[in-house]
Amino acid sequence: MKVGTDGVLLGAWVDIAAANTVLDVGTGSGVIALMLAQRTSTETQIDAIEIDKSSAGQAHENVQQSPWAKKMMVHHSSLQGFHSSKKYDLIVSNPPYFNNSLPPPERARAGARHTDTLPHHELLAHSKQLLAPTGRLAVILPFAEGKAFISMASITGLFCVRQCSFYSRQGKPQERWLLEFALEPRTIKTEKLLLFADDNNRSEDYKDLTRDFYLKL
């Protein structure tokens, strides 16, 4: 599982305020969980679940080699089969979003990109069950899928409270939504983020958001 811009964006953008218990759904190589471990206090407990066995093993190795191994646990599990006595202050996911396209040949890559193993309505329903009363769910999705996800979430009883529209370049269509949901409706905080400035260098806003996670930026 390669480290991509989507995972870096979500791990850097999500609000970690009062996040004492965190769940990363579909952790892949563990990048988002590790970013959140870097950002949160030593007392924060982070669970990361991954349905693919080899990816879960890779995530476990990455966690064990990190400075935050004591606060993290990787579970080889689907979200549907995951059981925890905890309620989570924050659930994060870079979820699959392809519904009707031909899956890639690699099983792990297919599971990471296609909704067969984690349909969005199941992500929402299980997240709602696992959230603490003041907990939040945060995801990153393409534009069309994100709009549909917001509508589906409101039906489930999760309400969008923060959203960031992400663009690769000025004048290009919006590529991603960064979204946070809560169990109670409130005024939505809206943001905008641009990856590249006019000079083809990363924008200052993107640098400010992600500089703690790049060796060179």
Side-chain angles (χ1 to χ4, degrees), residues 63-187:
V63 165
Q64 291 305 308
Q65 293 176 26
S66 79
W68 310 288
K70 291 184 178 180
K71 60 191 280 191
M72 303 179 71
M73 180 69 68
V74 177
H75 308 264
H76 173 216
S77 175
S78 65
L79 176 60
Q80 298 91 328
F82 180 68
H83 302 284
S84 174
S85 59
K86 301 184 191 119
K87 292 292 185 179
Y88 292 95
D89 300 315
L90 177 62
I91 298 176
V92 296
S93 184
N94 177 8
Y97 52 81
F98 290 160
N99 288 302
N100 300 311
S101 57
L102 184 66
E106 303 92 337
R107 181 174 59 85
R109 187 162 171 247
R113 298 179 67 189
H114 289 257
T115 59
D116 296 21
T117 57
L118 187 58
H120 289 170
H121 70 276
E122 292 190 10
L123 171 60
L124 287 162
H126 287 276
S127 294
K128 184 179 179 183
Q129 292 177 355
L130 289 165
L131 280 175
T134 58
R136 289 164 289 112
L137 167 67
V139 300
I140 182 167
L141 285 165
F143 178 75
E145 289 81 356
K147 296 287 283 186
F149 195 90
I150 292 171
S151 298
M152 192 183 300
S154 64
I155 296 171
T156 307
L158 287 165
F159 304 95
C160 188
V161 296
R162 184 178 175 222
Q163 62 184 37
C164 177
S165 51
F166 175 76
Y167 301 78
S168 61
R169 300 177 186 276
Q170 197 72 43
K172 295 288 187 180
Q174 180 179 337
E175 294 188 9
R176 294 289 187 269
W177 284 111
L178 290 150
L179 302 168
E180 281 189 12
F181 299 86
L183 292 166
E184 298 291 337
R186 67 183 84 147
T187 303

Side-chain angles (χ1 to χ4, degrees), residues 34 42 44 47 69 96 123 147 151 154 169 187 197-199 201 212:
L34 286 162
T42 55
T44 298
D47 289 313
L123 171 60
K147 296 287 283 186
S151 298
S154 64
R169 300 177 186 276
T187 303
D198 292 338
D199 55 5
N201 293 316
D212 289 343

Side-chain angles (χ1 to χ4, degrees), residues 27-80:
T27 196
S29 62
V31 61
I32 295 174
L34 286 162
M35 291 176 72
L36 295 179
Q38 180 174 328
R39 295 180 61 199
T40 52
S41 72
T42 55
E43 290 76 26
T44 298
Q45 297 178 321
I46 299 175
D47 289 313
I49 61 176
E50 173 55 50
I51 193 171
D52 179 70
K53 185 176 181 179
S54 62
S55 297
Q58 183 185 56
H60 176 75
E61 291 180 12
N62 291 338
V63 165
Q64 291 305 308
Q65 293 176 26
S66 79
W68 310 288
K70 291 184 178 180
K71 60 191 280 191
M72 303 179 71
M73 180 69 68
V74 177
H75 308 264
H76 173 216
S77 175
S78 65
L79 176 60
Q80 298 91 328

